[in-house]
Amino acid sequence: MSSAPMSSAPMSSAHPSVAPTAVTARAGGPLRGTVRVPGDKSISHRALILGALTVGRTVITGLLEGDDVLRTVQAMRLLGATVTRTGPGAWTVEGVGVGGFAAPPETLDFGNSGTGCRLVMGAVAGSPVTATFDGDASLRRRPMRRILDPILRMGAEVLAAAEGDRLPIRLAGARDPIPTLYETPVPSAQVKSAVLLAGLSAPGETIVVEREATRDHTERMLAHFGASVRVEPDGPHGRRITLTGQPELSPAPVAVPADPSSAAFPLVAALIVPGSDLVLSGVMTNPLRTGLFATLTEMGASIEPVAVRRDGGEEMADFRVEFSTLRGVEVPAARAPAMIDEYPVLAVAAAFAEGRTVMRGLKELRVKESDRLAATADLLRVNGVAVEIDGDDLIVEGRGRAPGGGLVATHMDHRLAMSALVMGLASEKPVTIDDAGFIATSFPGFLDTMKNLGAEIG
Ligand code: S3P
C-alpha cells in the first residue's frame, strides 16, 4: 500500500491503564431464576450507525451499554450526529443523512471493538471526510486489510497506516463513491456490512456476494430504515446482497433483542451445573446467530423455546434451560458463521460432555479479540482437559467433568474471560482468570447477573 507509515506512539489515544482484576469461579449450588442478558452487540452498533446516516430522529430501546457500543456512540457524535441517552438502554440519534458525516475533530478510538471500527470505516468511506481510526492493543493487532480492499475500490483512500495495514489508520472517504460488486474472501459480516454502508452513498447498485451466509442484521436493518435491499441465495451456503445506493433513509424505532452470544454464558453454565433450571428471556433467534443452540441440542441439551415473537425485523424467544447430560458431537465447518463467537464456551460445554467433540473450520477464530483458537485450547489445557488443535479444527476430549484449578490468560478477550468463569462453576477445583476488565465490552453486569442466579464468583 502506498500510504504513509503511521507510527503507533503519537497516535495513541488515552487508554487508561486500569490494573487487571483477577476473578475466581467455583462450584456451588444450582443456577436458578430468570435472566435477560444485555442487548445484542451487533444490532446495537448498527442501530447507532444507521441512525446517524438517517435524516430525523431514531429511537432505540434496549441498547447494549457496553464499552464497545459506547465507542460507537462517541464516534457517531464526532462525525456530527446527535446521540442522546434518555434512560437505561434508551437512546435517540439525530442523523446527518447518507454521505453527511462531518470531519471528526479527534481520533475515532474504538477501544476493543472490531465491529464498531470496521463498520464505521465503511460508513466513513462513503462521506467526503478524513478520519483517524484507532483502538487498544488488541484491536491494533487485528487485520484491517479485509476492509480496506473493498472500500479503496469504492474510492476511499488510506492516508496513513501502521505496519501491516493495521490501526492507527487515517482514511479519506470518497468524494464520489463508486458502486462495486464484491465477493468477500473471508466469511465476515463486518466486511459485508462495511461494503454495504459505503455503498449507501454510491449511485446505482452495490452488490456483495458471500460464499457462506453471515449474520444479516445490516441487510435487515437497512430494509427497516427504508433502503431497497435484495437478498438472494448464491451457491449452496452463500448469498448475494444487492443494495440500491443513495436512498433516503427514514427513522424507524429499533428494539434491541437480548444478545444470543451473551446468553450463551448463563446457558452453558446451566447445562453443566447440576440441578440448574433457568429462563433466558427475549433472546434473538436469528438463524444466522443460533448455531450454538443447534449444536448444544444435538449434544443432548435441554433447551426449550417458550414464547416466540418478532419485533423490528428480528425474531426472539424465551428459552428454558435445564442441567443436561451432554455427549460429544462433530460441528461442521459450514455452521461456523452462525456461531463464530461461541466456540470458547462451546469448548467448555464439550469438556463436560461424554466423548469427543470436533469443531471444524475455525480459521477466523485466530483473528478475533485474541487468537481465540489457541487461547481456547490453553483455557481447557490449564484446567486439565485434553484438547488438540489440528489445522483449523479444535478437538476436545470430553470426560463429563473437568479438574479445573487453572489460571486462565484472557488476552484482552471478553469471551475467553466469561467462558473460563463458566468452566469454574462446574469444575472440581476453582478457575481463576487474570483479568475480568474486558467483560464490560459486551456484557456489563455479567458477574452480578451470574451471582444473582446462584453462581459463586468473586
Ligand atoms: C460481527 C461479526 C463477527 C463477530 C463479531 C460481530 C458483526 O465478526 O465475530 O463479534 O456484528 O458484524 P466477523 O465479521 O469478523 O466474522
Side-chain angles (χ1 to χ4, degrees), residues 29-32 266-279 299-303 320-326 349 352-354 400-401 425-426:
L31 305 179
R32 286 172 187 264
L267 165 64
V268 169
L271 293 175
I272 63 175
V273 174
S276 298
D277 186 350
L278 287 189
V279 173
M299 293 172 81
S302 168
I303 307 174
R320 179 160 182 215
V321 188
E322 291 174 274
F323 169 74
S324 303
T325 302
L326 303 175
F352 288 89
E354 289 291 350
R401 51 174 277 277
L425 298 178

Side-chain angles (χ1 to χ4, degrees), residues 227-429:
S228 160
V229 191
R230 213 166 61 242
V231 180
E232 296 154 305
D234 193 297
H237 306 292
R239 286 185 173 181
R240 177 187 184 91
I241 301 113
T242 306
L243 168 73
T244 305
Q246 302 183 336
E248 280 258 342
L249 297 179
S250 26
V254 179
V256 184
D259 194 329
S261 300
S262 296
F265 302 104
L267 165 64
V268 169
L271 293 175
I272 63 175
V273 174
S276 298
D277 186 350
L278 287 189
V279 173
L280 297 160
S281 63
V283 180
M284 182 166 61
T285 56
N286 181 317
L288 291 168
R289 293 289 301 282
T290 45
L292 177 74
F293 289 67
T295 302
L296 289 170
T297 303
E298 286 170 12
M299 293 172 81
S302 168
I303 307 174
E304 207 190 322
V306 272
V308 183
R309 53 206 186 267
R310 197 182 163 88
D311 193 352
E314 295 282 358
E315 303 85 38
M316 64 205 74
D318 298 345
F319 287 93
R320 179 160 182 215
V321 188
E322 291 174 274
F323 169 74
S324 303
T325 302
L326 303 175
R327 57 182 172 272
V329 292
E330 177 151 338
V331 190
R335 198 179 284 164
M339 53 179 297
I340 193 66
D341 292 334
E342 279 65 79
Y343 285 99
V345 79
L346 174 63
V348 170
F352 288 89
E354 289 291 350
R356 169 180 290 195
T357 293
V358 182
M359 298 163 238
R360 299 216 183 269
L362 307 189
K363 190 167 175 213
E364 276 295 298
L365 285 197
R366 296 189 194 274
V367 291
K368 294 296 175 189
E369 285 83 332
S370 64
D371 176 346
R372 255 185 207 160
L373 187 51
T376 299
D378 290 345
L379 184 170
L380 296 187
R381 212 173 276 125
V382 294
N383 286 296
V385 176
V387 57
E388 190 193 321
I389 296 172
D390 179 15
D392 295 331
D393 302 341
L394 183 66
I395 301 160
V396 178
E397 302 294 343
R399 307 237 194 282
R401 51 174 277 277
L407 169 62
V408 175
T410 54
H411 304 285
M412 306 177 80
D413 188 329
H414 53 134
R415 299 201 199 279
L416 287 176
M418 290 185 274
S419 300
L421 291 175
V422 166
M423 169 161 248
L425 298 178
S427 4
E428 284 149 18
K429 281 186 250 141

Side-chain angles (χ1 to χ4, degrees), residues 65-118:
E65 293 175 331
D67 288 353
D68 277 14
V69 174
L70 297 178
R71 301 290 181 149
T72 295
V73 166
Q74 177 63 2
M76 293 304 106
R77 287 179 175 150
L78 289 169
L79 288 161
T82 305
V83 188
T84 312
R85 185 174 194 263
T86 57
W91 293 70
T92 60
V93 185
E94 309 268 357
V96 294
V98 168
F101 282 152
E106 52 188 84
T107 295
L108 306 178
D109 183 347
F110 287 94
N112 196 246
S113 178
T115 306
C117 181
R118 291 173 170 149

Side-chain angles (χ1 to χ4, degrees), residues 41-42 46 115 118 146 187-190 215 340-341 368:
K41 182 155 72 67
S42 296
R46 287 160 173 80
T115 306
R118 291 173 170 149
R146 53 179 61 196
S188 166
Q190 295 176 359
R215 65 190 68 193
I340 193 66
D341 292 334
K368 294 296 175 189

